[in-house]
Amino acid sequence: MTVTARGEEAAQRPEDEAGTGVVTAFGRQLKLLRVQAGLERTEFGRRVGYSADTVASIEQGRRIPQARFIEQADEVLGAGGLLLALKEEVAKAQYPAYFRDAASLEAKAAALNLYAVYAVPGLLQTEDYARAVFQMQRPLLPDEIIEQRLDARLARQQVFSRRSAPLMSFVIEEAVLRRPLGGSRVMREALEQILLTAQLRHVEVQVMPTDREDNAALGGPFTLIDTDKGQRIAYAEVQDDSRLYTEVTKVRELEARYGILRSQALTPSESSAFIEKLLGES
């Protein structure tokens, strides 16, 4: 079976944006609990470490709360887990509609294999690199949405330090590493972060050189996700149009492509040396 989430269609879902769906429901529940506790916004904000304006934005459904806020709010208000019960659904609202299902699978994955063609993979991006990527999107994203998506992208990187961290493999096109998105300083920091991440025992990073005569995946980027349920799913995305593939034939086809890609690319040690060389040139 192929599960499809097209950007245009998915964007019409009512829970997609701040101000609608689960975000609004959370805000209303938060305000009700705060009022019942007899706390003004200023005092409540002081106790949870946020400004009264931020609290107002969350209560009015204009801002998506982060996990830390939800946890602290539940404790301060003595909600008994009522707010915590919404944490996972609220977290999904941080992502563009077309990426939500993939983000949920990624967070619990047993293994991830990713082929990057256009930009440094989100899991490897620095904060400045990610901000630059969001700022250059067209049509332009509002500042509030940029910050929301930036927080969400950085939160995804917690998967590296998860207690049962997934095995992770990245094959990155050389052009990605030479494309100075955000400027030379930002790109240099991104390369440094890739090198550091590649040193983790459960992570392998390989570079696909531009001068290779063979490339098994000219069809574009994709990710293979081994779920915590023992299923392998493929995810492909282009121009805000995404698909999750569960059909065995399609998944095996992409598995084969990825395996060939890894054999065509530089080895992990060669790739680290290649990135170090790029850093020396910058």
Side-chain angles (χ1 to χ4, degrees), residues 222-235:
F222 62 90
T223 302
L224 296 171
I225 305 170
D226 288 0
T227 73
D228 58 339
K229 307 298 183 183
Q231 181 183 19
R232 173 162 281 184
I233 293 175
Y235 173 75

Side-chain angles (χ1 to χ4, degrees), residues 64-76:
I64 299 175
Q66 297 301 302
R68 186 172 68 90
F69 175 92
I70 296 174
E71 293 162 1
Q72 292 175 324
D74 194 90
E75 181 179 350
V76 168

Side-chain angles (χ1 to χ4, degrees), residues 249-277:
T249 301
K250 181 63 176 181
V251 173
R252 285 181 177 170
E253 177 184 301
L254 291 173
E255 284 177 340
R257 288 183 191 176
Y258 195 78
I260 297 171
L261 270 175
R262 294 197 68 182
S263 70
Q264 294 170 333
L266 299 177
T267 67
S269 59
E270 290 171 342
S271 297
S272 292
F274 183 88
I275 296 172
E276 289 174 352
K277 182 173 180 290

Side-chain angles (χ1 to χ4, degrees), residues 35 39 71 80 95 97 103 107 133 153 162 165-166 168 177 179 186 188 195 201 204 228 239 256 267:
V35 172
L39 293 175
E71 293 162 1
Y95 300 105
V133 169
R153 178 155 297 181
R162 206 180 69 194
M168 306 175 76
L177 304 177
R179 185 175 295 127
V186 170
R188 181 178 180 84
L195 272 179
R201 290 179 58 201
E204 289 190 338
D228 58 339
Q239 296 296 334
T267 67

Side-chain angles (χ1 to χ4, degrees), residues 128-193:
D128 286 345
Y129 186 98
R131 179 176 281 107
V133 169
F134 289 133
Q135 287 177 337
M136 67 181 65
Q137 287 190 17
R138 298 296 188 274
L140 293 171
L141 296 174
D143 290 342
E144 187 171 291
I145 296 298
I146 289 176
E147 293 306 313
Q148 167 194 310
R149 293 191 180 178
L150 180 62
D151 287 344
R153 178 155 297 181
L154 297 178
R156 287 171 56 202
Q157 297 177 5
Q158 294 174 8
V159 70
F160 288 108
S161 56
R162 206 180 69 194
R163 177 169 294 181
S164 53
L167 293 173
M168 306 175 76
S169 166
F170 299 86
V171 176
I172 306 174
E173 286 288 337
E174 175 186 341
V176 169
L177 304 177
R178 292 187 179 277
R179 185 175 295 127
L181 300 183
S184 58
R185 178 192 62 81
V186 170
M187 193 64 222
R188 181 178 180 84
E189 291 173 354
L191 293 175
E192 290 172 346
Q193 175 143 311

